[in-house]
Amino acid sequence: NRNLAILGSRMLPLFALVCVVALLFKLTVLVVKSRKTFRLMETFTGPPAHWLFGHFKQDGSDLDKMVAFGSKYPYAFPLWFGPFVCFLNIHHPDYAKTILASTEPKDDFAYRFIKEWIGDGLLVSHGQKWFRHRRLLTPGFHYDVLKPYVKLMSDSANTMLNKWEKYSETGETFELFEHVSLMTLDSILKCAFSYNSNCQTAGGTNAYIQSVYELSNLINLRFRTFPYHNDLIFHLSPHGFRFRKACRVAQNHTAEVIRKRKDELKEEKELDRIEAKRYLDFLDILLCARDENNQGLSDEAIRAEVDTFMFEGHDTTASGISFLLYCMACHPEHQQMCREEISQVLDGKNTVGWEDLSKIPYTTMCIKESLRLYPPVPGMARNTTKPITFFDGRTIPAGSLVGTSVYGIHRNATVWENPNVFDPLRFLPENVSSRSPHAFVPFSAGPRNCIGQTFAMNEMKAVIALVLQRYELIEDSKWKPKIIPRLVLRSLNGIHIKVKPVQPIFDRAAKK
């Protein structure tokens, strides 16, 4: 033991020296990479960055600061995340058109944080794998498949609204996002798995629900914590341990659900026979998908796509719906016009039907205007594999990170008149036709646009219809969201409103 102690005491300085050398080597690599990036961006001028934090303070002012930069640096400018990572930040439709029309892969910076959970699914895959999966998954978003989901979304929304009764009685302010996030998670579990989780009322006791919630929060934490961008530091941290544990729970649950469903479907190979027994869910589509060679998806690929659908269909829609409700609370005149339209269509029903979704045009314009001001995905990023030349002749070399700022495009004063004003009439058909199709891209555009955008719009329509039929939404001026760019748009201080019952409409619904 004494000899081991002596050996250990002699090895400790050597170990420390190795760590210092490794750290210096890594730092040198990052500095060289940073200088190379600086040279790659030399054709684009931009605002000065802090040597350590780059352009981001994470204090709720970053997005508006990016918009202000955009007024000084037209079309695009370099944007630094910390001292070593730089994106060309695009904030104009004419530039966005070029990059979104390409099939360049997603970047390996932000998206890699979620890859350990969702695998190489449609969100992050590229090349022939992405093309094949996109083709096989497209039937899962056909309107015949989406129709039954509207009833499931309505059920989940009504569960949430029942919980709001206590707030309507007391008139107290409450935070929206947590409620809406549980509601969208409830919906996506029903639509993806035909799984009734009761997550809105179970008090967070379900291990799978807890793991999905934990993973969403830890991914956002890692994204905004610069040292956690390093895999080793994150994996050695307590947060990294929690992330791996939650990953195992979520992935094991998904794998078990897939195994059980495959056993159930052994005797039911055709989708129409499955549909005769119940509605088709996302998992049915994945398990029965076949390419031209009659080859389906592997178990690993199916799990990746289900987990991707869980992440994208839960967190992004929660952000979109939360900010939509906030917009309605802040603009009571538009809220009332939507309520009158919805009241006429639903006629007191406490559920929304597929046929109702196309009968609320003013409400749909309000949804789009909310998505313009508060896009659930505030930015998208690509990693160029070849030089990209924009319409004005400027070129970004291969190996560059290019970010499309959806928030910046949507609030660009050269594209939108009075861009910070909530004005649903921007989305009248005659106004839409006079704008670039890349001026409004909440679901991206081009070949890599969001495959689930109709699903998301349907859920937003169903939820807002049921909310406004039952409650009046009221702004609390003491609570202004401090919006921050994460994987989805969030607020540092939450999203708060008050509600009170819309009595006459609610009475009719109760009678029915």
Side-chain angles (χ1 to χ4, degrees), residues 33 194 240 423 481:
K33 182 180 178 182
S194 299
D423 180 10

Side-chain angles (χ1 to χ4, degrees), residues 122 133-141 282 286 297 305 451:
L122 203 60
H133 283 209
R134 175 83 182 206
R135 190 156 41 86
L136 290 177
L137 266 63
T138 295
F141 296 91
F282 186 62
L286 289 174
L297 295 167
E305 298 302 352
I451 195 173

Side-chain angles (χ1 to χ4, degrees), residues 120-122 125 128-141 258 262 282-309 451:
D120 201 19
L122 203 60
S125 61
Q128 283 303 310
K129 181 175 184 178
W130 170 83
F131 182 78
R132 178 175 182 264
H133 283 209
R134 175 83 182 206
R135 190 156 41 86
L136 290 177
L137 266 63
T138 295
F141 296 91
I258 291 170
K262 289 183 80 170
F282 186 62
L283 187 51
D284 291 323
I285 302 293
L286 289 174
L287 287 168
C288 295
R290 294 290 182 273
D291 61 18
E292 62 276 6
N293 299 317
N294 201 35
Q295 295 297 311
L297 295 167
S298 66
D299 285 353
E300 181 184 353
I302 291 170
R303 183 195 60 74
E305 298 302 352
V306 169
D307 286 338
T308 297
F309 190 44
I451 195 173

Side-chain angles (χ1 to χ4, degrees), residues 33 62 74 105 176 183 209 229-230 236 254 301 313 352 370 380 388 486 511:
K33 182 180 178 182
D62 292 327
L176 267 177
M183 184 269 296
I209 304 304
H229 293 180
N230 180 277
L236 291 177
T254 305
V352 178
S370 172
M380 303 164 286
I388 301 288
R486 297 286 187 263
K511 290 176 184 176

Side-chain angles (χ1 to χ4, degrees), residues 58-163:
Q58 303 288 343
D59 60 356
S61 66
D62 292 327
L63 286 168
D64 289 332
K65 186 169 63 176
M66 297 305 108
V67 173
F69 288 158
S71 64
K72 187 175 181 181
Y73 304 98
Y75 301 110
F77 57 87
L79 188 61
W80 287 86
F81 290 77
F84 305 119
V85 179
C86 181
F87 286 76
L88 178 67
N89 183 69
I90 291 172
H91 59 91
H92 193 279
D94 292 343
Y95 259 50
K97 179 181 178 180
T98 301
I99 195 69
L100 296 181
S102 73
T103 55
E104 293 292 77
K106 298 291 180 72
D107 80 274
D108 54 2
F109 172 55
Y111 292 103
R112 70 183 174 87
F113 297 158
I114 62 174
K115 202 169 182 178
E116 191 173 340
W117 170 24
I118 67 173
D120 201 19
L122 203 60
L123 178 64
V124 295
S125 61
H126 56 89
Q128 283 303 310
K129 181 175 184 178
W130 170 83
F131 182 78
R132 178 175 182 264
H133 283 209
R134 175 83 182 206
R135 190 156 41 86
L136 290 177
L137 266 63
T138 295
F141 296 91
H142 189 273
Y143 68 88
D144 282 338
V145 175
L146 296 178
K147 276 183 182 179
Y149 293 173
V150 179
K151 170 67 166 59
L152 304 176
M153 294 166 179
S154 296
D155 292 344
S156 295
N158 280 322
T159 299
M160 179 182 72
L161 297 180
N162 290 338
K163 291 166 61 181

Side-chain angles (χ1 to χ4, degrees), residues 18-69:
V18 170
C19 289
V20 169
V21 170
L23 183 62
L24 288 174
F25 175 76
K26 181 67 173 177
L27 187 61
T28 302
V29 169
L30 288 172
V31 169
V32 170
K33 182 180 178 182
S34 176
R35 289 180 176 175
K36 180 183 177 183
T37 301
F38 191 81
R39 289 195 301 272
L40 291 176
M41 297 286 179
E42 62 186 358
T43 57
F44 296 89
T45 57
H50 187 278
W51 70 272
L52 179 61
F53 301 111
H55 288 109
F56 284 85
K57 291 184 177 179
Q58 303 288 343
D59 60 356
S61 66
D62 292 327
L63 286 168
D64 289 332
K65 186 169 63 176
M66 297 305 108
V67 173
F69 288 158

Side-chain angles (χ1 to χ4, degrees), residues 154-442:
S154 296
D155 292 344
S156 295
N158 280 322
T159 299
M160 179 182 72
L161 297 180
N162 290 338
K163 291 166 61 181
W164 287 8
E165 284 187 12
K166 60 182 179 183
Y167 301 118
S168 71
E169 291 169 358
T170 63
E172 66 179 292
T173 299
F174 67 100
E175 203 283 315
L176 267 177
F177 194 92
E178 183 178 351
H179 288 265
V180 176
S181 184
L182 278 174
M183 184 269 296
T184 58
L185 184 57
D186 191 18
S187 288
I188 206 73
L189 285 165
K190 291 172 182 173
C191 300
F193 294 149
S194 299
Y195 177 53
N196 291 308
S197 67
N198 299 316
C199 64
Q200 296 191 75
T201 54
T205 56
N206 182 291
Y208 178 68
I209 304 304
Q210 286 180 317
S211 69
V212 172
Y213 229 63
E214 177 93 317
L215 287 166
S216 297
N217 289 333
L218 288 172
I219 288 166
N220 280 298
L221 173 69
R222 187 177 184 189
F223 184 74
R224 68 177 187 264
T225 307
F226 175 68
Y228 280 177
H229 293 180
N230 180 277
D231 289 338
L232 181 61
I233 292 175
F234 181 70
H235 288 157
L236 291 177
S237 73
H239 292 117
F241 173 79
R242 284 167 48 194
F243 182 82
R244 291 191 299 277
K245 181 180 177 182
C247 263
R248 286 194 297 271
V249 172
Q251 291 170 352
N252 288 342
H253 177 273
T254 305
E256 180 64 13
V257 169
I258 291 170
R259 186 193 64 77
K260 287 181 179 178
R261 182 66 61 83
K262 289 183 80 170
D263 289 343
E264 292 171 10
L265 296 181
K266 281 179 180 176
E267 303 301 320
E268 299 289 345
K269 295 294 184 183
E270 302 297 328
L271 287 178
D272 54 353
R273 284 191 285 173
I274 301 167
E275 195 172 16
K277 293 185 175 182
R278 56 170 172 79
Y279 68 90
L280 293 175
D281 62 23
F282 186 62
L283 187 51
D284 291 323
I285 302 293
L286 289 174
L287 287 168
C288 295
R290 294 290 182 273
D291 61 18
E292 62 276 6
N293 299 317
N294 201 35
Q295 295 297 311
L297 295 167
S298 66
D299 285 353
E300 181 184 353
I302 291 170
R303 183 195 60 74
E305 298 302 352
V306 169
D307 286 338
T308 297
F309 190 44
M310 285 297 303
F311 168 72
E312 288 206 271
H314 147 234
D315 229 16
T316 54
T317 48
S319 176
I321 291 169
S322 297
F323 282 108
L324 170 62
L325 298 177
Y326 175 73
C327 284
M328 290 288 95
C330 293
H331 301 92
E333 68 283 9
H334 296 297
Q335 180 185 159
Q336 185 55 32
M337 291 176 70
C338 291
R339 182 176 291 108
E340 290 169 4
E341 179 181 69
I342 290 162
S343 176
Q344 187 174 2
V345 171
L346 294 188
D347 192 28
K349 293 185 299 181
N350 64 352
T351 191
V352 178
W354 173 265
E355 66 283 353
D356 299 324
L357 300 178
S358 60
K359 298 176 183 177
I360 49 174
Y362 192 81
T363 305
T364 302
M365 289 194 294
C366 286
I367 292 172
K368 290 181 177 179
E369 179 66 346
S370 172
L371 290 172
R372 183 187 71 82
L373 287 169
Y374 302 101
V377 180
M380 303 164 286
R382 303 284 181 89
N383 196 344
T384 61
T385 59
K386 58 183 180 294
I388 301 288
T389 301
F390 298 100
F391 79 97
D392 59 359
R394 289 190 290 182
T395 298
I396 193 81
S400 302
L401 295 173
V402 181
T404 301
S405 174
V406 179
Y407 188 91
I409 292 171
H410 286 184
R411 296 196 184 222
N412 190 323
T414 67
V415 179
W416 304 89
E417 186 178 354
N418 298 320
N420 296 321
V421 174
F422 185 87
D423 180 10
L425 298 184
R426 300 178 198 273
F427 292 95
L428 285 170
E430 58 268 29
N431 292 333
V432 171
S433 63
S434 65
R435 283 193 304 268
S436 163
H438 291 85
F440 179 65
V441 285

